[in-house]
Amino acid sequence: MSDVVEKTLTALPGLLSLDSQPGSNKLSSNSKLRNLIRGITELTSKHEEEKLIQRELTSIKEQVSSPNTSMRQMKELMVRAIYCEMLGYEASFSYIHAIKLAQQGTALEKRVGYLAVSLFLNESHELLLLLVNTVLKDLQSTNLIEVCMALTVVGQMFPKDMIPAILPLVEEKLNHPKEIIRRKAVLALYKFYLIAPNQVQHIHNKFRKALCDKDPGVMTASLHIYLQLIEENPEGYKDLTTSFVTILKQVVGGKLPMDFNYHSVPAPWLQIQLLRILCLLGKNDQSTSEIMYEVLDESLRRAEINHNITYAILFECVKCIYTIHPKSELLEKAAKCIGNFVLSPKINLKYLGLKALTYVVQQDPKLALQHQMTIIECLDHPDLIIKRETLELLFRITNAQNVTVIVDKMLEFLRINKDDYTTIDLVGKTMSTVFSVGGDTMQPDIPNSFLKLLSEGFDSVEEDRKLRLFAVDSYVSLLQGEPGKLPQRFLQVISWVLGEYSCLRADLEVDTVLRLLAKLLDMKTTSSETKSWVLMAMTKLCEGGAGVSVARGVSETYSSSLDTVLRQRAQELQHLSQDPELRARVLPRHTGLEPLEVDSSLSFLDGFVSEALAAGAAPYKPPHQRQEELAQAKSLSLEPYGLSLPLSMSSCSITDRQSPTLLSISSGLSGNSNDLSHKGGSSSLRLDGVKRVWGREGYLAQREPAEESAHVEVPSTLRSPSQQGRADGSHSQTPTHTPTPELEKQQLASSLFVGLGSHSSVCLMGKSEPTPQRFRRKARSPASSSGASENISHSLVSPPITVDTLVCNNLLDSHITSEPDVSPLEQTPPLSQGLAAANGSCDEELPDSDVKGSSPSLIGDDALVAADPAPHEEPPKDLLLSSYLPAELSGLSHSEITPLSSDQSLDLSACHVQKEGDLVLVVFIYNSSDSDIQQILLELDSEELEVSCECDGAVGGARGHSVAVCQYSLSVKRPSVHVELVGTVSYQFPVGTPQSGQFSYKLPLSSFIRPLTLSTEEYGTMWLDFSHDTKQNLTLISDDPEPLAASLSVLKNKLQLHVVEIIGMEGIVACRLLQDQPCLMHCRLHAGTLAVWLRSPVPDLPDCLMYFCQRALQEH
Amino acid sequence: MRFMLLFSRQGKLRLQKWYTATAERDKKKMVRELMQIVLARKPKMCSFLEWRDLKIVYKRYASLYFCCAIEEQDNELITLEVIHRFVELLDKYFGSVCELDIIFNFEKAYFILDEFLMGGEIQDTSKKSVLKAIEQADLLQEEDESPRSVLEEMGLA
């Protein structure tokens, strides 16, 4: 209220400015506040603001304590004080005056007084006691507004102990004739119930009265109390279920007054409240649940309008349906509803969809499978919140098979996300649960990353501390439970964390931790590797006192252990625990992350070595040299001795504050061939004397063919049927014509969602196409193309695939492509033979054809060629180039490899390969120069064709004298007898100007024709639907007793048409143009010719096809 | 609901309402942290956050962010509608509300909020009846200040 009179009285200079401002009256009441706000906006620095506010506060302080200040002025002062507090400046001197204002002011001032009190104080503030009398008085006032104000402030805060003083008055208000008073009274009681439940226990029956209130607003208010009550004791309120259901039915049915509608949805708040209550009541209670099925169904049905508020109701409904005793029909609907959320383009709904999935996924893992692609997309969502929720969801579906992928994803997320709470929450959960689930199947680098995360920490010291404390706390309690069930790897992590960080917990006795650790040592199941971790942790911990005795006991036991490492550890423990000074030097506390200087040359041992040498010891040979010597000598392997050296080396350095696994990995590196062989036991022994043929990435290059053939067998024999089944399953769901990013997602999906639901359902998920081509090679991403040519040659023979390596590749290097490919031996021949025939015919189109055989037996030859790439002298010939065909295409027939363009450094050639559902153009880029080309860019364009690149246009680079390969999937946009592609290649040497060249590639439309299998009936209905047609009489193959059948079989073989049926003198034939454009053919014997009638929905297609039919028959 | 905050794009707090007892120091810290998080979010991002043990629901109207903290079991979407209804109420009361209205008349905004939410729970979902209650109280004020009510009328019209 622009207090002009008052302004004049107080004669403030602000008056003038107030009057001069147009519209100032409208803006505000309080010109001093206005001036203050103005003043602040004009300031430029925080410092000035502080000065101004302090000045303001001083002036307010003076005025509030002056006895001459009227209540009206006081009101205005309070508003300013509130403002200053909101800006973050304390105005505690005004609190008492706010109470005074509430007490003494008239209605207007009282309202500001109450507001100030509720903003300044909280319920534990002692000044609040002074308010009790005012509230008491106002509750009894005849002025409704005053009663409302009192109830409002009571609902905001009230001193707990004083509740009994006003409770009777508030209770009384439940009978007040005005519903607004009753409503506020109910909410005030709700507040009392929250802060002091015992105080209101005796009035529970009054709540029932409120629930039955004739005013829906009061009834709604009472539901807040009921929700609380039922949450605490659902059993006590089961009798109310029918009432709640009835109310919900009425609300949903639109029985409430229009006033309660919100955007034409009836009382959504009330609906949600009721659904939440029903959810609590129906949980684990079949009979109660049955009462509500009908209304839940109705709610789902009624919520039609596409508005946030309906989604809010739906979400609550779904939650309820999944919480109460299940009913399949409702679950189905709810699942569909979740689907709507997940698939919604609105990000808020998507988020809630993910949340809902997270909620239901344990009951219904299939639901997650249904949405796996969306989930995968969300995993890369730019909004971290969505990403996090997705991880939460994945966390719920973690099982032994997918744990590695999920943990990896989580680590990736943690690395970019610095939100402390999220991190602690997520890491905590992951560490405990995922470790216990994933257990020993995990790659050793996963726990390592965890430890690294823990020790390096984040930006803030405080967060690190919290996270570490969390870890220590949860691990101590785990050890106090049943540690025997925990996986070894997890026990190792636990030991390390406790050794490192248990000192952070001041109240945790070192003694206790030591005892817990000692308990681990006594367990039979603990492996000796774990034991050495435990001993190390103990070494870090035992610091005088009782610890020493525990340590002594342990070290005595293990110093006679047969295991050298354990013995070593026990010795260390013994010495260090007895010599605090040495201990302090070796294991300094609180050094944090100061980088350790490691003398990697071990120069401090020089003296020792020279002494030993002088004494006649043999000079040191590195392990690989020893292995080679052993292999040459063809003697029995003495591997254990060979290994003992690296082992003892690692045990020397292991005591420093690094995680031992790092070292144990390095010592295990020598045998990094194939995980399965490790499982066999002494893998390193077996490998001795055998050249390493199989690497992690698959087959290693430059081996003699003889060896190769010996090893082709390896995968199938090594894989157990079940593993093979799984690997096949996860691959077969990959549709062959999907573009690469999509493909990667699907591969990720298959690795994430393994083990959810039955095996068959996993297959179903990936909208798999029944293609004989089971496996598909991922197109190379630019990053990995440096090794492209090598990979290609490897891929011709299949490396051993184990589930382990598959999973690990998918998870860990899903962007690097050198994924093991699968043997072409597994490809089933029928299609490729069919295609061979087809290619034969199209090769006839190209006069200088050089048909490459396509029978599987040739693959061996290809492999031979590939194994000896020898690309150093001259550009690879056709035969050589064909060996660079990607593995999954190599079994299929391809057209002749035609040169496209060539200049001084790049030779481009191409061929096309017919697959059942696709036509793949393969471009070979041979770098004939000596230097490497970093980046080659290929651009293809065509008027008739849709070109989709499987490698994003950028081929990456090609090394000197090597070949890079690029695949394109083609489909026809506009049919034409011959379709043509034009392309540009551009590239640049590290030094030099950018080069580019043009080329074109022509192929017959017949390459895109595939058989279309359908029945005569289907043919009949389709025939009538097609609008484009052409008719022509063609030459008949007359030298056959059955000219019609013979002609059709020629067409079938050359053009891949499908003969639907031959009825007497007529034949019906069907085919499709890739991807799915049908063309139907009707032929009839007529006067020694074949009358052909072609129909299709695609313009020009019948004409083109007619041309090919004519050619095929003529050339026969 | 645990609390509601209104702040500007520049990170200036415009309104704060806490429904559970919170120490002043914690309030400041939470407000600062939340503002930082919310202001850093891009327009197309999700309106919901999980922060500490709370769920944050926020929405931006012009230059003002409305931000609510709710508990685990609360419904995010309906909270968005709580915010929206509050904005509707402000809009109706001030007549196409803008940030300045809320800055200069923040106590009125508080009164409206108090009439709409009580103790963190929605008290009255009807736009009409909330505004009626506010108007009645305003009338009371006017009676109280009857000598200058003409000016008032002009100012509030």
Side-chain angles (χ1 to χ4, degrees), chain A residues 311-332:
Chain A
Y311 284 110
I313 296 171
L314 282 176
F315 186 74
E316 213 59 51
C317 225
V318 167
K319 223 160 115 184
C320 182
I321 290 172
Y322 270 97
T323 311
I324 62 171
H325 187 87
K327 186 183 185 206
S328 59
E329 200 184 304
L330 277 177
L331 285 177
E332 227 168 79

Side-chain angles (χ1 to χ4, degrees), chain A residues 491-705:
Chain A
L491 288 177
Q492 292 163 13
V493 171
I494 293 180
S495 316
W496 188 85
V497 169
L498 291 183
E500 212 55 32
Y501 298 119
S502 62
C503 55
L504 291 177
R505 271 288 300 267
D507 54 331
L508 191 66
E509 296 270 331
V510 176
D511 207 22
T512 324
V513 183
L514 280 177
R515 264 181 239 288
L516 285 172
L517 289 173
K519 206 167 85 185
L520 287 182
L521 289 176
D522 295 338
M523 292 190 314
K524 280 203 191 85
T525 46
T526 312
S527 74
S528 57
E529 196 192 347
T530 309
K531 280 182 184 166
S532 80
W533 283 74
V534 174
L535 286 172
M536 277 167 49
M538 294 177 93
T539 316
K540 289 179 200 160
L541 284 172
C542 63
E543 213 168 352
V548 177
S549 65
V550 180
R552 189 177 300 135
V554 169
S555 56
E556 268 165 23
T557 318
Y558 286 94
S559 53
S560 55
S561 164
L562 284 179
D563 188 315
T564 43
V565 182
L566 279 185
R567 212 157 57 221
Q568 165 93 21
R569 296 268 162 272
Q571 292 288 346
E572 285 168 10
L573 174 60
Q574 193 170 15
H575 288 300
L576 293 177
S577 66
Q578 282 162 10
D579 189 346
E581 258 176 52
L582 178 62
R583 200 185 156 284
R585 224 151 30 90
V586 177
L587 296 168
R589 280 247 164 253
H590 312 300
T591 45
L593 260 186
E594 286 160 32
L596 294 168
E597 255 186 56
V598 178
D599 182 359
S600 57
S601 64
L602 303 179
S603 58
F604 55 90
L605 287 176
D606 284 354
F608 175 78
V609 172
S610 53
E611 262 176 46
L613 283 175
Y620 172 76
K621 287 175 189 160
H624 59 89
Q625 194 185 342
R626 262 171 287 151
Q627 278 194 8
E628 266 168 39
E629 284 173 12
L630 282 170
Q632 279 163 11
K634 296 215 191 304
S635 61
L636 274 177
S637 167
L638 298 172
E639 192 59 29
Y641 293 119
L643 267 183
S644 72
L645 195 70
L647 255 185
S648 56
M649 272 169 65
S650 65
S651 52
C652 289
S653 43
I654 234 164
T655 346
D656 66 28
R657 294 181 174 248
Q658 292 192 342
S659 82
T661 313
L662 276 173
L663 293 160
S664 52
I665 293 174
S666 66
S667 69
L669 264 178
S670 61
N672 87 8
S673 55
N674 132 14
D675 286 343
L676 263 189
S677 62
H678 274 296
K679 300 213 170 107
S682 55
S683 57
S684 42
L685 259 179
R686 230 196 273 163
L687 281 170
D688 259 43
V690 179
K691 285 198 177 174
R692 277 178 57 214
V693 178
W694 298 102
R696 246 177 222 292
E697 266 75 41
Y699 182 70
L700 296 175
Q702 270 119 37
R703 295 290 151 198
E704 288 80 16

